[in-house]
Amino acid sequence: MLRWILGSREAQSSLEKSSVLCIGEEQPQNCFTELQVLKGHFDIVRFLVQIDDFRCASAGDDGLVLVWNIETGEKLLELRGHSQQITAITTFKCNNALMTQTMLITASSDRSLSLWDPDTGNRVQTISDLHSPVKCLLVLERLCLWLSGGEELCVWNQDFQLQCHQPNPSDTGITALIELPKNCLAAAMDKEIVIYRITVSADTVVCLTEMQRLSDHRDQIRALINVNDNMFASGSHVGELILWDAIDWNILAYEHILWEESQSASEIRMGSSKPSEMSIQHLCSNGKLILAAVGSGLYVYSVLTKTVLAYRKVAHDSNVLHTMLLSDSELISCSEDGSVRMWEIQDLPLPAEPASAGFFGMLTFGRSSKHSGPPSKKVLDVSNLKMLELIGDLIGHSGAVQMFVSFKENGLVTCSTDHLLILWKNGERQSHLRSLTLFQKLEENGGL
Amino acid sequence: MIGSPDVVAFTKEDDYGQPNPEPWPPIPEEFSIPLYPPADSNPWAKTSYAKFTKDFILISEFSEQVGPQPLLTIPDEPKVCGTFDLNYFSLRIMSVDYQASFVGHPPGSGYPRLSFVEDSRVVLGDSKEGAFAYVHHLTLYDLEARGFVRPFCMAYISADERKIMLQFQELSLRFSQASECLKAGNRRAFAKELQRKLQDLEYTHSVLQREEGLQREADPQTRYSAHAVEKANELANVEKSIYEHRDLLKQITSYHGRPRRDPHAAMCHKCMSECLAECEDLLEKFSKLAGPLGCIGKGERGEGEIQSEDEAGEGEMEDDEDGVKRRPSYTPQLIRAKSAKCFDKRLKTLQELCDETFYEASMELLKETERGFRGDLCYLYTRRLDRSLRRKQKVTNFLFEEEVCEDNDDEITIRPFCPVNHSVELHTLLKPPHIVLAPEPLEDATEPFSEMSHTLDSELGLGESHLESSPSDQTLETQDSSEGTKCSYSSGTNMTKQQDQQHNLDSVISEAPDPDSDVTPDHERESSSEDMETTAGDDDGDHTPVSLLEHNGECEDTPLEVCESDLLLPIDTACCMSQDGFLYEDLAADTADESDHNSKIQPPQTLVVNQEPQALHLLQDHYTVGSLSESPAAGLELPVGQNADSISHVSVEEGSDCTMSASTGSDRALSPFGYGAVVTLRQRRKAGQGALRFVRQYPFAIQALWCLLSGRTLVVLGEDEGRVRKLVAALALFVPGPGKSAERIQAWMSCPFSLSDIYRWKLIGLQRVSSPVGSSLLYSLSRYSRYISILDIDQKTLRCPPYRGQLLSNIADHRTYIRRGSSYFLHLQSVLCRLAAKAFLLTFTHHLHLPVSLEEGPEVVKGRRLCFLQEQLGLDEDDNEILLYLSQLITQQYLQPPSESTAPPCFSFKYTTSDLYKI
């Protein structure tokens, strides 16, 4: 288990903060120079799902599911049916005779589940009168099954028939579900991660067996993600980040993220800071890196070296709600403060550079005075540490940005508590596309 | 009768070679009462002679009882004509009636003939009164009038001689329409009157016959008594009268079949045919009645027949004949042998003479004419030029121009007028007359003229030989008049008009098959008219399509037309009459030639790049402002043919010329004398004043304007609503594509705004409040500060990105010499139009957006675009943004006008730092 505790950062955090706020209006690296505001929701928009390359579905507290064409910004469909807020949404690939069709499964507080066809807007299947609202959904494409988690865990087949049903022993219910190898799945329940195994017998009777309970977290588990085939990760409310082996469910690494200075390296001081400041709101991974949204900060952890790669304690003015790794060096985060920020993981400037002397000096000072670890280790640490540099921010929403979905070069969709979706695009690319269409139309019309 | 007759017709020595120093023909030497004060004084002062304040239309009649008398004026306000003596002027205008009204019994005909008189058009000036008038004479029929005719005239009276002279064509066209309308109504009324009279006569006749019969039965001996003879005479008189009236009816019916000389005499076909059918009905009915001798004792029955037929006939008649419908059972009255004395009877009013509907319609037409000609010449000209140019730039109009409605007034009134709105079926619009430009001979403007006069010279050389025969022929033949000499002016102008219109109004619905059919067969004339007819008639359909290519072609016409009208002036009256045919024909050929060349230069469709630049080139040149330092053509080194080059050269000169005059003209339009503009235009002018004040007041105005033009939302922050609103109205001029009803401008709001507000509105007036609302408002201001520029009018600061370009220094110079808002407005419009043209070019030039070859990456294309902007258009980096924004708007508009699109609009922005500017 590797523990990494930040040293005294008072001076630096203020420096950080000011640098965050002063990104300014000149953002040459920010390519999102065009936006479209997509209106349609009447309440907080919480979820975004990418359907295919050009479509995206949004869902929120108004119970509406809207399908958007993100190339034009047009609203394609309104899927009405749920009477209360949507609590979970996922895509579901139906394998019909010849083709695979992407469908949408939604779960709502009205204790119903629906299957939608995003091409026609039809509500293909509905299940209502569930015992409790569903909080999370998981599709097992390989098995053509899907699961709904809430106070109970249910397994459904493609035709919305209940296959298996597991009443939940804990009070809080399942908050997250992920798929693990060997027909296993992990469900986050309060402080525990429960591993289940699905067995499909010959007569297609599905059986759900509890395999193990992992109770290493000291507080509520907020995030649970797959990292790669061999690992999955979970994050808790108090800033514990645990990397698990996906096969035998052992702890591979334990990281306790504490922004505050701790007196002793071995001691983990939980009371020193407010839990919300270190709460891991969101985790994401690209297999090599794990990006954790910790309070209003960001934390990049390398899976390979099992070390922290870069961090920024105050990345936003308020809690970070959603993050995404665009590549090995670029990431995006959105926050309750209404902004979306783009970051780049940059190498620290060379020590010889005079500009960085202050930062290094401080780091060295903190380390030499406080830390008792082996120096060789520290050197390695420092050499691995990179900077998280703000390269742009997107300001448009007037409320918390709940989530975003990236369509690569086609743009970025953000949704927010201000009932809006904003489609951010690369202005240059769009103008190029428009020119293309223009000349196409000219050709079709045979001149002006 | 004519006291000091400075009848100013088109008179000029025939020295075509040298450019005419005076643009309009001077008054002959012998009448040289100095009209104007010395030349160096205020050019507008010349109108101060007039005793009336603005132009008006006067309708007068030559009453057989009291002589010339004014009937009404349009507008119908006493203050319009002020102290101007209408009676005197009526006398003047009625005294120049050159209509060949011929009445009475022509030799060889037993019955009185109706004279079919063509309208005559005269320009008349009265230096003493300071009044000039376009006078349009027309003759209406009245059964009770002497010779059945009532001479009327409509006059457009203005203090500006040039206005009359140069707008002659259009005035003539519009008045002809009104006249045609009146006449059409009059024919109906006349036919009805005849019908009534005939019924009376028939009745009288039957009564007389019965009386005679009774008398004969009672006392056959008294056949030769004095009383009986008297009765017999009376009967004979009545019979004769019946024949006469029947003949009149026949004549009026034949009216429609008559070949018309007047090219303007285009009437609604349906009205025509209806009226014709009606008359024929009547004719048939009355000829069907048994001859007077045959209806002995049948009086009662005959009367009944008449009535029933009458009623039946009316059932078929259309609704607008309320007058007749209301009293369907007209009871014939006995006609006394002796008619009332001429001076006792009350003459019918103009309203009674014409069918009510037609009268109203023609009054409406005249009112519209009056409205359309308000303002001085420069103003009229600019407006029209502006409109015609705008019609050609449909793609970019939305940017800075107010909406040109499809059916704008030019075309509405110029289509064959129909008072009962049959026009729906007649979609062929007449082409409005060409813009008549004041030929102001600027020193630098001689080139185009000389070029044109070259062609003219050669044409005239050919034409001269045919001169002699024509004038007399025409006056005599066409006017059927013995007063040949007197006719010369009017007929001359008539013919000018005719020829010209033949050339111009390609799709005239002409009821006359051949205007020259009854003219002496003059070879040249015949052929020329034939030629014209072929050009006019064959390609009727050619004028409907609105492809841009044609527009481009037409675009080039404009300067030519201008010259054309210039050339009209220096021609001697005598020459006019005969030579116009050649002149215009040749010019037409010339123009056609030009456009041929142009179409060669612009291969249709295949090369977008090639054709567009030229269109731009021209357009841009049209709007060149003389004060611009750079040469307008210099910026564009695009491949244009030699011909096109020369044309554009012409238009450069013309363009600069007209814009200059435009600005002065508009000044005038704002002065108390000048009046009348579209309301929106007036508002925009007023905004021009505000904009000018803004530019002069704030040294950082240029930055603010740049923000607006490059699509960055500008927030005008202030406490006082009035000031903010005013400033917003002023700055609205600079908002590209403001929308039909300024959807992109929010004049005043006081609540915090959201992102969608910023991109829905490009210009926002915002209330500064010191309350919690205010703080949240300031919060949203600072939050979205990257998207907006903030102009604080209380503290006089502007926060926006810095602008370093040159493009706007022309319109945002706070030391500008422009003093009047309206001048500034027009200056601004021209600059903006240039911008729009450049943006058009940028948008539709293929290689600036897409790779030419496969190897080229986006970087190459981008580089090429930048290079184009910088080197060919000569723009700075910041100016590029304006063009790119305009181009984006054009693209979006072209692809999908905002009204049709369901997708939310795109909002583009840039991440740049802002500076704070203070006074």
Side-chain angles (χ1 to χ4, degrees), chain A residues 25 27 30 32-37 72-74 338 393 395-397 428 435 438-439 441-442 445-446 448, chain B residues 605 755 759 783-787 799 840 843 846 849 862 894-895 902-904 906-909 911-912 914:
Chain A
E25 288 164 344
Q27 303 173 9
N30 190 344
F32 295 108
T33 53
E34 189 172 310
L35 63 83
Q36 277 176 296
V37 173
T72 62
E74 281 170 304
D393 62 346
I395 291 181
H397 287 294
E428 239 171 75
S435 293
L438 176 101
F439 287 106
K441 186 174 174 185
L442 263 184
N445 294 358
L448 270 169
Chain B
Q605 296 164 17
L755 180 68
Y759 83 72
R783 179 170 180 82
Y784 298 119
S785 62
R786 66 172 58 175
Y787 305 125
R799 189 186 174 280
F840 176 85
T843 312
H846 187 275
H849 301 275
K862 194 179 171 188
Y894 181 73
L895 290 180
T902 53
C906 292
F907 173 51
S908 299
F909 45 88
Y911 298 104
T912 49
S914 293

Side-chain angles (χ1 to χ4, degrees), chain A residues 162-271:
Chain A
L162 185 63
Q163 304 292 308
C164 181
H165 174 244
Q166 177 100 26
N168 192 356
S170 95
D171 306 332
T172 47
I174 297 168
T175 52
L177 281 169
I178 55 165
E179 187 184 359
L180 295 179
K182 297 183 182 172
N183 286 0
C184 287
L185 54 101
M189 282 180 249
D190 198 20
K191 295 177 188 173
E192 289 183 323
I193 297 170
V194 184
I195 310 288
Y196 292 98
R197 172 160 287 157
I198 297 175
T199 45
V200 185
S201 47
D203 49 353
T204 66
V205 173
V206 178
C207 199
L208 204 60
T209 333
E210 184 178 322
M211 302 298 292
Q212 194 167 356
R213 278 173 181 265
L214 312 173
S215 324
D216 295 271
H217 277 292
R218 301 185 190 181
D219 206 333
Q220 198 183 354
I221 295 167
R222 285 294 180 88
L224 180 66
I225 56 156
N226 285 310
V227 177
N228 50 35
D229 288 346
N230 305 317
M231 281 180 260
F232 68 97
S234 62
S236 80
H237 188 62
V238 288
E240 300 159 299
L241 174 66
I242 302 180
L243 204 56
W244 307 87
D245 189 306
I247 316 277
D248 55 13
W249 316 308
N250 289 326
I251 292 180
L252 291 176
Y254 179 90
E255 197 75 14
H256 195 161
I257 302 158
L258 276 183
W259 299 123
E260 296 301 309
E261 175 198 350
S262 60
Q263 295 303 317
S264 152
S266 56
E267 187 188 354
I268 295 156
R269 291 185 39 182
M270 289 180 56

Side-chain angles (χ1 to χ4, degrees), chain B residues 616-901:
Chain B
L616 169 92
H617 203 168
L618 285 161
L619 195 97
Q620 178 196 9
D621 292 337
H622 274 297
Y623 279 82
T624 305
V625 178
S627 60
L628 278 180
S629 51
E630 57 182 299
S631 153
L636 296 168
E637 298 163 358
L638 290 156
V640 279
Q642 202 190 343
N643 200 330
D645 228 320
S646 66
I647 286 174
S648 70
H649 206 80
V650 171
S651 50
V652 169
E653 307 298 332
E654 288 298 335
S656 59
D657 176 5
C658 67
T659 325
M660 292 297 272
S661 63
S663 50
T664 47
S666 68
D667 274 0
R668 174 152 171 64
L670 267 196
S671 67
F673 187 90
Y675 46 82
V678 198
V679 186
T680 57
L681 193 66
R682 179 177 284 190
Q683 281 169 347
R684 281 162 68 90
R685 285 248 190 66
K686 222 172 149 192
Q689 183 66 48
L692 180 62
R693 200 177 300 133
F694 174 72
V695 164
R696 296 168 67 93
Q697 193 177 354
Y698 294 94
F700 49 72
I702 191 166
Q703 268 84 10
L705 302 193
W706 176 69
C707 289
L708 287 170
L709 286 170
S710 59
R712 191 178 170 105
T713 304
L714 181 70
V715 176
V716 180
L717 186 65
E719 244 168 309
D720 177 28
E721 176 169 357
R723 279 182 70 201
V724 172
R725 276 185 183 277
K726 215 180 271 176
L727 190 52
V728 167
L731 292 175
L733 292 179
F734 301 92
V735 178
K740 273 180 192 154
S741 41
E743 293 96 346
R744 311 221 55 185
I745 293 149
Q746 170 73 19
W748 181 247
M749 66 186 269
S750 48
C751 52
F753 52 84
S754 67
L755 180 68
S756 45
D757 293 338
I758 293 177
Y759 83 72
R760 181 159 38 142
W761 297 315
K762 286 290 169 199
L763 178 60
I764 303 175
L766 191 65
Q767 183 181 21
R768 178 202 298 281
V769 278
S770 46
S771 66
V773 184
S775 68
S776 73
L777 197 137
L778 286 180
Y779 170 73
S780 51
L781 273 186
S782 67
R783 179 170 180 82
Y784 298 119
S785 62
R786 66 172 58 175
Y787 305 125
I788 54 176
S789 301
I790 303 165
L791 175 65
D792 187 331
I793 59 169
D794 298 328
Q795 287 163 17
K796 304 212 186 309
T797 59
L798 173 70
R799 189 186 174 280
C800 73
Y803 167 71
R804 292 176 210 89
Q806 294 299 311
L807 194 59
L808 299 183
S809 56
N810 197 11
I811 52 169
D813 176 14
H814 77 285
R815 283 183 290 271
T816 175
Y817 290 111
I818 300 176
R819 285 292 177 272
R820 304 197 74 117
S822 44
S823 316
Y824 180 71
F825 169 69
L826 286 170
H827 169 56
L828 181 65
Q829 268 203 321
S830 71
V831 172
L832 292 181
C833 191
R834 271 168 69 87
L835 268 181
K838 284 178 180 170
F840 176 85
L841 178 59
L842 172 65
T843 312
F844 290 98
T845 307
H846 187 275
H847 68 272
L848 297 180
H849 301 275
L850 303 177
V852 175
S853 62
L854 287 173
E855 301 94 68
E856 281 185 350
E859 292 310 311
V860 182
V861 177
K862 194 179 171 188
R864 192 160 46 211
R865 186 163 60 229
L866 279 181
C867 173
F868 170 79
L869 287 168
Q870 272 167 10
E871 285 169 24
Q872 293 199 272
L873 296 185
L875 298 176
D876 292 327
E877 195 184 336
D878 291 333
D879 297 328
N880 291 350
E881 274 178 48
I882 299 179
L883 275 206
L884 289 173
Y885 175 64
L886 296 184
S887 164
Q888 186 198 339
L889 287 180
I890 294 172
T891 309
Q892 280 169 351
Q893 178 82 12
Y894 181 73
L895 290 180
Q896 200 167 36
S899 50
E900 294 170 21
S901 126

Side-chain angles (χ1 to χ4, degrees), chain B residues 219-253:
Chain B
D219 187 6
Q221 302 308 316
T222 56
R223 177 174 295 194
Y224 301 108
S225 71
H227 182 69
V229 168
E230 192 184 318
K231 269 274 182 274
N233 280 342
E234 207 175 320
L235 193 62
N237 270 337
V238 170
E239 275 172 28
K240 180 165 177 269
S241 189
I242 287 178
Y243 283 122
E244 280 177 6
H245 282 86
R246 217 180 277 167
D247 191 68
L248 282 177
L249 190 58
K250 205 178 290 169
Q251 287 179 45
I252 198 82
T253 309

Side-chain angles (χ1 to χ4, degrees), chain A residues 143-154:
Chain A
L143 300 173
C144 289
L145 293 172
W146 58 277
L147 293 95
S148 65
E151 282 173 24
E152 52 190 0
L153 183 63
C154 304

Side-chain angles (χ1 to χ4, degrees), chain B residues 501-521:
Chain B
Q501 289 307 317
Q502 276 246 279
H503 158 58
N504 288 341
L505 310 178
D506 290 1
S507 48
V508 158
I509 300 166
S510 166
E511 45 185 307
D514 182 359
D516 298 315
S517 57
D518 55 344
V519 183
T520 324

